[in-house]
Amino acid sequence: LRAAFAAWKRAGIESVVFQISGTDAPRLSPLQREALAGAGLRHTFTRVRTKHWARSLDGLARDGHTGVTFELLWLDALCRQAPEAVVRLLRRARVLTIQPLNLRPKELQGVRVDVLAMDWKAVARRVAHDLATGKLFTPPERVVFEATFAARQDASQLASWF
């Protein structure tokens, strides 16, 4: 996350919008707070109004100096409810995602997104190992899996139309 926000700052992003669902309280994790401060970025929280999915998304990041990130799984819901508006947002603004995009690859031709990619195979191997060795239920050692930041990735490669 630190690498992502630092790259955004170098690219002229001044503020980050955290797009949250209507039920979640707006709050930053310690990592988000640290990454924002380290990059010198301001932040705000916004909610998409469920009766006006597209209009809410179309109002985000209109200035060219704002990046957008979504809480886990919220982007997936928006892709289902307002796919055209999500594509317009992806074309207009820097968007950071941690998950596949629930859109058709054809809709994402020429679109770039920033990605925090987790090595899910490594996570699965660790869980399987801990299960097999009985370590899953013992007092845990702290295990951290670092996500890798990749800027301006071809969004059609992240498409996973369901």
Side-chain angles (χ1 to χ4, degrees), residues 126 129-141:
R126 176 61 191 249
H129 175 267
D130 287 357
L131 275 170
T133 61
K135 291 183 180 179
L136 192 63
F137 303 107
T138 60
E141 64 183 76

Side-chain angles (χ1 to χ4, degrees), residues 70-80 86 90 96-104 108 113-118 120 154-162:
F70 295 86
E71 69 180 22
L72 187 61
L73 303 179
W74 186 231
L75 181 57
D76 184 62
L78 294 170
C79 287
R80 283 184 272 115
V86 170
L90 295 174
L96 180 65
T97 184
I98 60 171
Q99 64 194 59
L101 299 169
N102 191 12
L103 297 164
R104 293 183 176 101
L108 296 170
V113 295
D114 295 326
V115 180
L116 278 177
M118 180 60 68
W120 290 110
D154 179 355
S156 67
Q157 298 298 309
L158 294 171
S160 63
W161 182 252
F162 293 105

Side-chain angles (χ1 to χ4, degrees), residues 33-120:
R33 199 178 296 74
E34 177 189 318
L36 287 164
L41 295 170
R42 297 183 316 271
H43 73 280
T44 58
F45 294 95
T46 68
R47 287 186 168 89
V48 169
R49 294 177 299 159
T50 55
K51 292 184 181 180
H52 306 284
W53 302 92
R55 190 172 2 158
S56 293
L57 287 170
D58 286 340
L60 286 175
R62 305 284 317 164
D63 64 2
H65 299 288
T66 302
V68 181
T69 187
F70 295 86
E71 69 180 22
L72 187 61
L73 303 179
W74 186 231
L75 181 57
D76 184 62
L78 294 170
C79 287
R80 283 184 272 115
Q81 296 298 326
E84 298 87 5
V86 170
V87 171
R88 287 191 299 271
L89 174 64
L90 295 174
R91 288 187 188 285
R92 173 178 74 249
R94 293 290 292 261
V95 174
L96 180 65
T97 184
I98 60 171
Q99 64 194 59
L101 299 169
N102 191 12
L103 297 164
R104 293 183 176 101
K106 182 179 175 182
E107 295 172 313
L108 296 170
Q109 293 301 313
V111 174
R112 298 278 175 191
V113 295
D114 295 326
V115 180
L116 278 177
M118 180 60 68
D119 183 353
W120 290 110

